[in-house]
Amino acid sequence: MIRYLFLALCLLALPAQRDPILVPEVSQHEVQVQQGFVGTELLLFGAILDPSGARAGQQYDIVVILKGPTEPIQLREKDRIGGIWMNAESTAFRSAPSFFAVASSTDIASIVDERTAAIYELGLDFIQLSPSGTIDPEEQARFTEGFVDLRQRQGLFKEDMDGVQINEQVLYQARITLPSNVQTGQYTAETFAISRGRVIASEIAEVNVRKVGFGRLVEIFAQQQSLFYGLFAVSLSILMGWMAGRLFAMI
């Protein structure tokens, strides 16, 4: 009994082992979108260190997620009725990411279980959408799958299971491309260090995507003077239609 008590006291006297810390960075903290913007590539890099400042000294994997601002969306399912494709069922989500890119050092399924992947949204299969009101789980899964597929074809959702390079278990880097149709707003680049199926560290860096030049002026006008912007847009459309009609009449 005394021997077991002595061992317990020795274990309590040992210094607590602390998890490593992440030091993330992004090549651009601000992306300026202007006329002729064709997209850009972001370099997400950093290091994983022991709390003392030394190298972590253990094997780990890295997962990087770049997520755009959330927005409410309305999804409509197409169905063939009488030989014609028409809108059928629909559902709404209060918040859905406008952009979602995942890069990892290896296949995520091989480094964490599904529960952990779902908690941290590690992959396109684990994106969490917030439905408006009650919805059948199977129906929600069907609409979520369709939403992810649509955003993938638009180039706004992407996944690269070999997109993170790790050097000497200290430095890491990943490249993620923002397409030309990316939405403006605040983006978060979250990095996860994973070891033995457990997330041992995570940190967030931010990227601001904003319009500049004439596009920015139009955006501000549309937000602050939405009524006048709408009237101007309708009037311009009518004017352009009238001018096109007159032009064709003269030919």
Side-chain angles (χ1 to χ4, degrees):
M1 182 67 181
I2 295 176
R3 182 177 61 181
Y4 291 130
L5 180 60
F6 176 75
L7 289 174
L9 291 174
C10 289
L11 290 173
L12 290 174
L14 290 174
Q17 184 177 0
R18 293 179 293 174
D19 289 329
I21 58 175
L22 275 168
V23 185
E25 190 51 81
V26 184
S27 58
Q28 295 176 253
H29 285 281
E30 181 178 273
V31 176
Q32 296 183 350
V33 178
Q34 53 188 334
Q35 188 175 4
F37 178 73
V38 294
T40 188
E41 185 181 70
L42 294 179
L43 175 64
L44 289 75
F45 61 97
I48 181 167
L49 304 171
D50 185 83
S52 63
R55 58 181 296 174
Q58 61 176 295
Q59 296 291 324
Y60 63 89
D61 288 286
I62 291 289
V63 178
V64 176
I65 298 177
L66 181 63
K67 186 185 298 185
T70 59
E71 57 184 354
I73 59 169
Q74 180 82 26
L75 296 177
R76 292 181 175 86
E77 192 175 49
K78 295 285 187 179
D79 196 5
R80 195 178 184 89
I81 301 175
I84 302 175
W85 287 101
M86 301 178 62
N87 290 330
E89 297 184 39
S90 65
T91 190
F93 292 95
R94 290 192 301 270
S95 63
S98 56
F99 181 86
F100 195 96
V102 183
S104 61
S105 55
T106 188
D107 186 16
I108 294 176
S110 67
I111 57 178
V112 294
D113 56 26
E114 289 190 359
R115 180 176 177 275
T116 302
I119 291 174
Y120 296 100
E121 293 185 286
L122 303 180
L124 297 181
D125 293 335
F126 303 100
I127 291 179
Q128 299 175 10
L129 304 179
S130 301
S132 299
T134 58
I135 182 174
D136 179 73
E138 292 185 1
E139 183 179 352
Q140 180 178 351
R142 188 176 77 252
F143 274 100
T144 300
E145 183 179 351
F147 170 69
V148 171
D149 178 67
L150 175 63
R151 288 293 170 90
Q152 280 185 291
R153 286 187 276 115
Q154 294 172 339
L156 296 172
F157 281 15
K158 53 190 71 178
E159 201 172 55
D160 187 354
M161 296 293 105
D162 193 30
V164 178
Q165 285 76 47
I166 302 176
N167 297 323
E168 299 181 356
Q169 293 300 309
V170 178
L171 304 176
Y172 69 88
Q173 66 173 10
R175 297 181 183 274
I176 295 178
T177 301
L178 291 176
S180 59
N181 58 337
V182 73
Q183 180 175 310
T184 57
Q186 197 74 19
Y187 285 62
T188 58
E190 189 165 10
T191 304
F192 300 91
I194 300 172
S195 178
R196 298 178 182 177
R198 185 174 68 92
V199 175
I200 59 175
S202 65
E203 288 293 338
I204 294 178
E206 294 185 345
V207 179
N208 184 29
V209 179
R210 67 184 188 92
K211 289 184 178 180
V212 295
F214 179 73
R216 176 60 177 167
L217 295 177
V218 173
E219 183 182 39
I220 293 175
F221 179 62
Q223 292 176 349
Q224 298 182 355
Q225 304 290 338
S226 57
L227 176 61
F228 293 106
Y229 175 78
L231 293 174
F232 174 76
V234 172
S235 301
L236 183 61
S237 298
I238 295 174
L239 177 62
M240 295 298 292
W242 178 81
M243 291 178 63
R246 295 290 296 176
L247 180 61
F248 279 107
M250 295 173 60
I251 298 177

